[in-house]
Amino acid sequence: MLRDIWISFRNLPAWVQIWMSVVLVPANLVPLAFLDQPYGTLIAGLAILGMALNLPIMMAERGMSRAMALPHLLFWTPMVLIIVYVLNTHTDLLPIYAQFLLVLLVVDLISLGFDLRDAILWNKNRKRQ
């Protein structure tokens, strides 16, 4: 099964592999370094849940699937709203935390754009079967 998942990942376009490996996954792991900051635990939990719940999907599908967009939409949508709230209401944030939140916001908004499209396509294909 792990081999199938790896092959599926490697069959994605190179830019998607780079996006996921170099930007998306690392950006959503960094919140673990800010657990002691305002809403840090909540943001980290939502970031990790959005990724972790892709594991059962990958296992069931034996690879990458458009259904992987669903946990992102479910957990990252409220997370980006919380980030916007924190950035607009907490003027005393550590500068490094505020900068990171901006990066995470941009990364996950980009991802959610792809995820919305993927979820729609996944749902259309599911209805046809």
Side-chain angles (χ1 to χ4, degrees):
M1 176 183 327
L2 289 176
R3 183 176 183 275
D4 293 338
I5 293 169
W6 177 250
I7 290 169
S8 176
F9 173 74
R10 295 297 291 152
N11 284 330
L12 294 171
W15 73 268
V16 175
Q17 293 177 52
I18 293 167
W19 167 256
M20 290 173 62
S21 301
V22 178
V23 180
L24 189 63
V25 171
N28 282 282
L29 289 174
V30 171
L32 293 171
F34 294 106
L35 295 175
D36 62 337
Q37 296 303 304
Y39 293 84
T41 303
L42 181 57
I43 291 169
L46 292 169
I48 299 300
L49 280 169
M51 292 187 299
L53 291 180
N54 278 318
L55 294 173
I57 294 170
M58 285 188 288
M59 292 170 71
E61 299 285 333
R62 299 189 69 85
M64 302 288 129
S65 163
R66 292 190 191 279
M68 293 170 63
L70 302 175
H72 293 173
L73 291 169
L74 182 63
F75 293 102
W76 291 355
T77 300
M79 183 183 69
V80 299
L81 296 173
I82 291 165
I83 292 170
V84 169
Y85 170 77
V86 170
L87 288 172
N88 285 310
T89 61
H90 288 75
T91 57
D92 59 342
L93 296 175
L94 290 175
I96 188 81
Y97 182 54
Q99 291 168 356
F100 166 69
L101 288 178
L102 280 172
V103 169
L104 185 60
L105 178 65
V106 169
V107 166
D108 283 353
L109 283 173
I110 291 169
S111 180
L112 287 170
F114 293 126
D115 291 329
L116 184 58
R117 178 184 173 275
D118 283 347
I120 290 167
L121 291 172
W122 173 80
N123 193 46
K124 280 182 184 177
N125 288 336
R126 199 171 133 251
K127 287 181 179 180
R128 288 183 193 155
Q129 295 175 351

